[in-house]
Amino acid sequence: MKNSRKAWLRKRLKITLIFLLVLGLFLVGFATYTVRQSFPQESGRIQLPELKAEVTVKRDKWGIPHIYAANSHDLFMAQGYIHAQDRFWQMDFWRHIGSGRLSEMFGSSQVDTDKYLRTMGWARVAQQEIQEINAEMKAYLEAYADGVNAYLTEHQGSALSLEYTVLKFLNPGYKPEPWQILHSLTWGKVMAYDLGRNFESEIERAIFLKTLTPAQVEELFPPYPQDLPVILPELQQGERAGKGRNKNVEVLLNSPDVLPALESITKPMIALEQLIGPRGIGIGSNNWVISGQRTTTGKPILANDPHLGVQIPSIWYEVGLHCTPKIAECPYNVSGFSFAGMIGVIIGHSDRIAWGVTNVQSDVMDLYIEKINPKNSNQYEGNGKWVDMQLVQETIQVAGSQPIVQTVRYTRHGPILSDVSPNLKQFKSNQPLELPQNYAVALRWTALAPSKLAYAVPQINRAQNWQEFRTAASNYDVPAQNLVYADIDGNIGYQMPGKFPIRAQGNGRYPVPGWTDEYEWQGYIDFDKLPKSFNPPQGYIATANNLVMREYPYLITADWVYGYRAKRIVEMISQQTQPISLKDVQQIQADNRNLNAQTLVPLLKSIAVDTPRLQAAQKLLRDWNLQLEMTSPAAALFEVFWKHLLADTFDDQLPETYFPDGGDRWYAVVANLVKQPNSSWWDKRNTPKVENCDQILRQSFIKAVDELERIQSKNPNNWNWGKLHTITFRNATLGKSGVAPIEALFNRGAFATSGNGETVNANRWRANKSFEVTDIPSLRMIVDLGNLDNSVAIHAPGQSGHAFHSHYNDMVEPWRQIEYHQMLWESKNVTENTTAMLRLIPKLAE
């Protein structure tokens, strides 16, 4: 009896194990099927309605498509189709940002963000652009939309992307709508916001005035240092740009009640940062171009690495667009980096020219304090009279809830941002600063008027020379960029395009009164008067968001990025005694030298330390090459010290929201302060004694040693910068859900990285947050105008937007190690490296 029971138990156990195994295999199979069903078809044939002729799409081993089409319509239609194949979730998400419709996808958690975006009104501006668009551009954008919609017709739900499988549990009724021209145009608005937001600095300075003197505030926003380079040193003209303090500072000092409104505007901005990445003044990009006079090839070399927020999928999509043949109707033969959602190539090269972009970080946003009629909240004062506001009704659809109706109020300056400040009602009545009912804050911004950016991209893509490039650049109005140029004839150039306001008074550094004409915009700087250079005598042009020239008759901004990255780039180009090769340019992009350490390490070497452990730590700095390499103990020590130095010096005097982030501005602030060892900034308010520079340096050094001993090792030689300074690529939506299993599906990391935000290899961390990397060189590109097939590039994390696809994050490791892939160009080279070929063919008439 006992034996038979054992046999029965063994049989049951065996059956259970087999069942669990089969169930496990079924679940694995189901999961694999669910994940893989959204992967794009990369070979064979697909019939597309609206296509005029056959299109060939060759994908190389990095997943990069090279599209060959006989006409412009088919070229851009195929680009739309391929973008949708690889990145539709990203496209869908970004168009919902652009139109302020996130609540339709994600429910009530996004209502406040949608209200903020609807107040900005990007979709309303894009609709105006559609009314004004010319026939050619409209045809291109319609062709692109046709390509996206052809893909959507055959794919829905989990067949589009794994994210839709997860979203179905959160929002079962959601179904993507067809793509429209509007959705492509709002892309530019989102990028303009992502690359701008200088009004944040206006708010920061104004809030500082609550507790600091104007002189102290200006110490925290120092002028551009004389020892840092400018983009165009050969050009000098007119009066010095960037005027000093003016009457608007006194206005705020006399009207402090408006400051809570300014503070509250930052709340929805922070929410939006969670979606599109942390931004702010000081974050930018590098590009440079070197004349053939200085290169091994005798032809120019052009390099570019734009710095953007960490995200997965990559913000960039690498692609080749080729007309076969290249003719007047189809004049495109171009390769480089596009945005999924927009036609053309944003950064790259054609068969004739190459170009790169960095952000000017121009001051094109002004905040106006508006006086509101206490008897009518929809009227504001203008030159002594009450003026009716423009009222726009917006209906926000909310998944799983009732629609919300919002009224957006406009003054002559723009939308009232303080209307979308949910935290205003949270200010307690016993606070000394209360927002009066008759004040509001409006935003004037160049991006809230119709733009011609969409024209610029295809025009640059087909430009054949410097003159045509400049004509195209004249439409590159928002966001303003530093464009570097090179061509196969050996020319190099620089052009700053953009819409830059000419102000009647003021320099955009503080919010200004809106009830008078004293601070109105009087127009924009003429394009022909904007800075440019062609074949300069030094044989190179380098930009890193730094000052364009020492003297210029118009105001571009008073808040240039301080040129620490630029200084290092210029040093490495100008001090090279031998002709510069592509390998040399790669080494420049890989450089991790910390110019902040160049200032502070000599001071740290001289501080008195009296214990063996502190002396051992100090010795690391004596032997250090100032490179922030991944495995460097000294790099870890210095960056941890920098975090503590900023906190020990400033945190007791600044609001927590504005604790120093450690970027380029703080390099300049501290470089000035160490020359003033008894400055009041060094004194800690919460101690009875008066501290000086040396005491704070020593205190911060000791704290850094303590922290590293606690979190890494008692042995200083085991400290490691890369283990602290890691990067995690997070999906902007579901990757930040707070649900670990969902996040694990879409996020990748953490990966050790080198550098920091001000090294040429700019992997930014924020001293007021953590050592985690927030912004990166989102792509690196080096173009050889002597042989375009020698050009190289990399972007992170990969080409595909599909989790678990082989190209989802396969570029992370080469990107981390500053390695590249070849930018395949000639048709023969592309064919030899093709791993999959897809033929898109016209749908046969029935």
Side-chain angles (χ1 to χ4, degrees):
M1 188 74 179
K2 188 180 285 187
N3 288 338
S4 64
R5 182 169 177 79
K6 283 184 178 179
W8 181 83
L9 285 171
R10 279 198 299 270
K11 186 177 180 181
R12 293 289 298 178
L13 181 62
K14 186 177 180 181
I15 292 171
T16 301
L17 289 172
I18 291 172
F19 173 77
L20 290 173
L21 179 62
V22 170
L23 179 63
L25 290 172
F26 172 78
L27 291 174
V28 169
F30 179 76
T32 302
Y33 169 76
T34 301
V35 166
R36 294 187 62 84
Q37 70 167 322
S38 64
F39 289 1
Q41 179 182 337
E42 297 180 356
S43 57
R45 295 169 21 137
I46 298 175
Q47 287 188 340
L48 293 188
E50 311 298 333
L51 205 63
K52 296 179 180 178
E54 184 173 313
V55 176
T56 302
V57 183
K58 298 178 180 180
R59 290 191 187 247
D60 61 30
K61 59 186 176 183
W62 303 286
I64 299 161
H66 305 261
I67 302 172
Y68 297 86
N71 59 77
S72 294
H73 171 275
D74 290 356
L75 187 70
F76 293 123
M77 184 178 178
Q79 186 180 19
Y81 188 86
I82 298 301
H83 275 167
Q85 274 193 319
D86 286 338
R87 298 284 189 88
F88 185 73
W89 171 265
Q90 183 183 46
M91 295 165 65
D92 198 14
F93 169 56
W94 276 81
R95 68 172 167 176
H96 279 78
I97 293 177
S99 293
R101 296 171 56 191
L102 290 165
S103 301
E104 294 177 21
M105 294 183 79
F106 304 109
S108 57
S109 65
Q110 297 302 316
V111 166
D112 285 342
T113 304
D114 277 348
K115 285 182 176 180
Y116 180 63
L117 293 168
R118 297 289 183 99
T119 299
M120 284 284 189
W122 298 335
R124 292 193 293 276
V125 179
Q127 289 287 8
Q128 294 176 49
E129 293 173 3
I130 292 171
Q131 302 304 314
E132 301 172 6
I133 207 165
N134 68 27
E136 178 191 67
M137 193 65 204
K138 189 172 185 181
Y140 286 170
L141 291 170
E142 284 177 340
Y144 182 90
D146 286 344
V148 176
N149 292 329
Y151 190 75
L152 289 182
T153 300
E154 303 297 330
H155 301 80
Q156 283 296 323
S158 56
L160 272 174
S161 194
L162 179 61
E163 285 92 338
Y164 290 102
T165 305
V166 177
L167 185 65
K168 195 161 188 66
F169 292 103
L170 307 173
N171 181 5
Y174 180 75
K175 181 180 178 181
E177 66 182 291
W179 194 264
Q180 303 173 37
I181 290 176
L182 171 75
H183 303 141
S184 292
L185 294 181
T186 55
W187 234 119
K189 311 304 173 193
V190 180
M191 286 308 300
Y193 182 85
D194 198 30
L195 295 173
R197 308 211 325 243
N198 65 270
F199 71 89
E200 292 179 41
S201 290
E202 288 186 40
I203 293 171
E204 183 177 359
R205 278 188 286 262
I207 289 171
F208 283 172
L209 288 174
K210 286 167 62 175
T211 54
L212 303 174
T213 68
Q216 286 176 309
V217 174
E218 291 302 311
E219 279 189 295
L220 300 181
F221 293 85
Y224 192 86
Q226 289 294 314
D227 62 338
L228 295 178
V230 299
I231 295 171
L232 303 180
E234 74 276 16
L235 298 182
Q236 302 293 338
Q237 57 174 300
E239 63 178 276
R240 185 174 300 277
K243 302 159 195 170
R245 177 170 166 246
N246 55 43
K247 213 166 65 175
N248 49 28
V249 179
E250 278 80 7
V251 170
L252 280 171
L253 286 172
N254 294 329
S255 305
D257 294 327
V258 301
L259 296 181
L262 297 176
E263 288 180 308
S264 67
I265 289 171
T266 64
K267 309 300 180 185
M269 292 189 322
I270 292 169
L272 189 53
E273 277 193 359
Q274 297 298 312
L275 300 175
I276 65 175
R279 305 304 302 148
I281 294 296
I283 298 165
S285 312
N286 305 318
N287 65 16
W288 62 90
V289 60
I290 305 170
S291 164
Q293 305 160 21
R294 288 179 168 267
T295 68
T296 55
T297 64
K299 292 287 187 179
I301 297 174
L302 182 145
N304 194 188
D305 55 291
H307 308 156
L308 295 168
V310 175
Q311 55 195 281
I312 193 168
S314 168
I315 196 168
W316 299 105
Y317 185 90
E318 195 169 353
V319 67
L321 300 173
H322 308 283
C323 291
T324 53
K326 180 181 169 185
I327 55 175
E329 189 283 329
C330 193
Y332 301 103
N333 189 18
V334 62
S335 184
F337 294 87
S338 66
F339 289 139
M342 184 59 187
I343 64 168
V345 168
I346 309 298
I347 293 171
H349 71 82
S350 68
D351 53 339
R352 294 280 312 167
I353 74 168
W355 68 98
V357 308
T358 67
N359 194 18
V360 173
Q361 310 245 15
S362 50
D363 191 338
V364 294
M365 293 174 163
D366 280 352
L367 292 173
Y368 286 85
I369 310 301
E370 306 283 17
K371 284 185 180 178
I372 307 301
N373 187 348
K375 297 178 180 178
N376 183 348
S377 61
N378 293 327
Q379 288 186 329
Y380 66 100
E381 184 180 327
N383 294 310
K385 297 179 181 178
W386 293 121
V387 181
D388 289 335
M389 294 182 187
Q390 179 189 356
L391 304 179
V392 177
Q393 295 292 319
E394 291 279 356
T395 302
I396 300 172
Q397 303 294 333
V398 184
S401 187
Q402 294 299 310
I404 291 172
V405 177
Q406 173 193 13
T407 301
V408 179
R409 301 190 298 166
Y410 275 84
T411 72
R412 59 179 176 162
H413 300 115
I416 294 183
L417 283 193
S418 50
D419 278 353
V420 282
S421 305
N423 290 40
L424 270 180
K425 296 176 183 176
Q426 298 176 16
F427 283 94
K428 298 174 184 176
S429 59
N430 62 355
Q431 287 185 285
L433 300 176
E434 293 185 17
L435 180 65
Q437 291 300 308
N438 59 335
Y439 280 92
V441 183
L443 171 69
R444 183 159 193 190
W445 177 26
T446 54
L448 299 185
S451 161
K452 293 195 172 181
L453 174 64
Y455 292 87
V457 176
Q459 286 174 347
I460 289 175
N461 288 182
R462 65 183 184 234
Q464 299 293 289
N465 52 49
W466 173 241
Q467 289 74 25
E468 291 181 11
F469 177 78
R470 286 196 68 234
T471 299
S474 67
N475 286 322
Y476 211 125
D477 48 8
V478 179
Q481 300 288 297
N482 297 298
L483 300 180
V484 294
Y485 165 95
D487 62 38
I488 60 173
D489 295 327
N491 299 302
I492 67 171
Y494 165 89
Q495 176 68 58
M496 179 191 288
K499 287 166 73 172
F500 303 96
I502 300 172
R503 296 169 175 86
Q505 182 176 303
N507 56 13
R509 286 173 71 76
Y510 292 90
V512 293
W515 53 86
T516 168
D517 287 346
E518 291 181 54
Y519 299 93
E520 292 303 292
W521 292 5
Q522 299 179 312
Y524 300 104
I525 304 172
D526 289 341
F527 178 76
D528 286 336
K529 294 180 180 178
L530 291 173
K532 62 181 180 296
S533 179
F534 189 61
N535 293 329
Q538 67 268 25
Y540 65 87
I541 304 165
T543 93
N545 321 104
N546 54 313
L547 180 65
V548 66
M549 61 178 71
R550 292 282 171 196
E551 296 181 356
Y552 183 66
Y554 300 100
L555 177 72
I556 302 296
T557 180
D559 287 316
W560 297 98
V561 169
Y562 300 89
Y564 295 98
R565 285 179 283 112
K567 182 176 183 179
R568 186 64 182 144
I569 294 164
V570 168
E571 282 176 355
M572 296 182 77
I573 295 172
S574 63
Q575 293 174 8
Q576 178 63 263
T577 57
Q578 299 297 316
I580 295 171
S581 67
L582 258 71
K583 284 288 184 188
D584 294 327
V585 176
Q586 290 179 23
Q587 288 174 2
I588 298 174
Q589 285 192 334
D591 186 67
N592 290 309
R593 186 175 179 87
N594 185 340
L595 298 190
N596 188 37
Q598 197 167 291
T599 301
L600 295 177
V601 164
L603 301 177
L604 289 177
K605 287 179 182 177
S606 64
I607 63 173
V609 291
D610 50 8
T611 66
R613 71 185 190 98
L614 295 177
Q615 290 164 354
Q618 194 178 48
K619 185 176 184 300
L620 292 177
L621 299 177
R622 291 201 183 97
D623 304 328
W624 185 32
N625 62 3
L626 306 187
Q627 292 279 337
L628 296 177
E629 294 160 352
M630 269 185 263
T631 58
S632 168
L637 173 60
F638 183 81
E639 294 295 272
V640 176
F641 156 77
W642 178 235
K643 179 190 77 169
H644 285 291
L645 178 66
L646 292 169
D648 289 343
T649 308
F650 299 104
D651 285 6
D652 61 333
Q653 298 186 58
L654 300 180
E656 184 175 351
T657 304
Y658 297 108
F659 282 176
D661 64 7
D664 64 290
R665 174 160 66 92
W666 296 100
Y667 279 26
V669 169
V670 173
N672 289 338
L673 287 183
V674 294
K675 299 171 188 172
Q676 307 168 54
N678 296 310
S679 166
S680 62
W681 287 107
W682 297 117
D683 180 36
K684 295 179 73 68
R685 292 185 174 182
N686 53 4
T687 63
K689 64 179 182 179
V690 177
E691 290 86 0
N692 61 25
C693 176
D694 287 347
Q695 290 167 322
I696 297 299
L697 289 172
R698 186 174 188 278
Q699 174 181 303
S700 302
F701 180 77
I702 293 170
K703 285 184 179 179
V705 173
D706 290 345
E707 181 172 349
L708 283 164
E709 286 184 344
R710 184 177 70 255
I711 64 176
Q712 287 200 343
S713 172
K714 295 288 186 183
N715 183 348
N717 294 317
N718 294 334
W719 296 342
N720 181 296
W721 175 227
K723 287 181 180 177
L724 276 180
H725 186 236
T726 62
I727 181 170
T728 298
F729 293 93
R730 289 185 176 85
N731 183 293
T733 52
L734 300 177
K736 299 175 182 177
S737 65
V739 181
I742 294 177
E743 292 184 355
L745 287 174
F746 301 108
N747 297 347
R748 298 294 181 270
F751 304 99
T753 57
S754 54
N756 73 8
E758 308 313 326
T759 52
V760 180
N761 177 33
N763 296 308
R764 181 174 300 275
W765 62 280
R766 292 172 185 258
N768 55 353
K769 302 291 184 185
S770 73
F771 294 109
E772 183 177 342
V773 178
T774 59
D775 307 85
I776 59 172
S778 54
L779 70 85
R780 299 185 186 97
M781 179 187 75
I782 303 172
V783 181
D784 178 2
L785 277 300
N787 182 348
L788 292 171
D789 265 310
N790 285 339
S791 304
V792 295
I794 194 71
H795 67 116
Q799 272 287 104
S800 178
H802 297 287
F804 304 103
H805 191 281
S806 59
H807 295 306
Y808 187 59
N809 65 318
D810 60 325
M811 291 191 190
V812 171
E813 194 56 27
W815 173 87
R816 265 189 349 116
Q817 303 296 340
I818 326 290
E819 296 169 355
Y820 302 77
H821 66 74
Q822 185 183 7
M823 291 182 76
L824 302 173
W825 176 247
E826 294 294 346
S827 178
K828 179 175 180 292
N829 200 8
V830 172
T831 300
E832 288 174 355
N833 288 277
T834 294
T835 58
M837 187 167 77
L838 178 67
R839 293 171 59 208
L840 303 176
I841 59 175
K843 197 162 190 175
L844 301 176
E846 296 183 6

